[in-house]
């Protein structure tokens, strides 16, 4: 049985904000405009795949 901690968890808005060095508000604005890294809405929460965020950051640089 695989340990939950060994799996890649999805990042929260706060995690992505810290990784990219941008305010949380900017991430919400990007989502509203259809910009920024790919994001999923799970319930009321925005979640990001870490690999997708890293790939987006590399392409956007």
């Amino acid at each position: 049985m695989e340990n939950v901690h060994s799996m890649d968890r999805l990042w929260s808005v706060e995690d992505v904000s810290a990784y990219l060095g941008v305010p949380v508000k900017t991430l919400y604005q990007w989502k509203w405009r259809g910009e920024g890294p790919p994001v999923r809405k799970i319930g009321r929460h925005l979640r990001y795949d870490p690999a997708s965020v890293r790939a987006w950051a590399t392409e956007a640089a």
Side-chain angles (χ1 to χ4, degrees):
M1 181 180 248
E2 192 168 6
N3 185 341
V4 159
H5 296 292
S6 68
M7 298 170 60
D8 274 348
R9 69 175 182 86
L10 296 176
W11 284 356
S12 68
V13 176
E14 292 79 10
D15 294 329
V16 177
S17 170
Y19 178 77
L20 295 177
V22 299
V24 167
K25 184 176 178 179
T26 298
L27 293 170
Y28 281 105
Q29 289 173 344
W30 285 349
K31 183 195 180 305
W32 186 74
R33 293 183 197 148
E35 302 171 0
V39 61
R40 288 182 249 183
K41 194 167 184 186
I42 299 178
R44 319 179 303 156
H45 307 282
L46 298 183
R47 293 293 181 252
Y48 297 82
D49 174 44
S52 296
V53 173
R54 290 183 189 107
W56 177 86
T58 300
E59 292 171 13

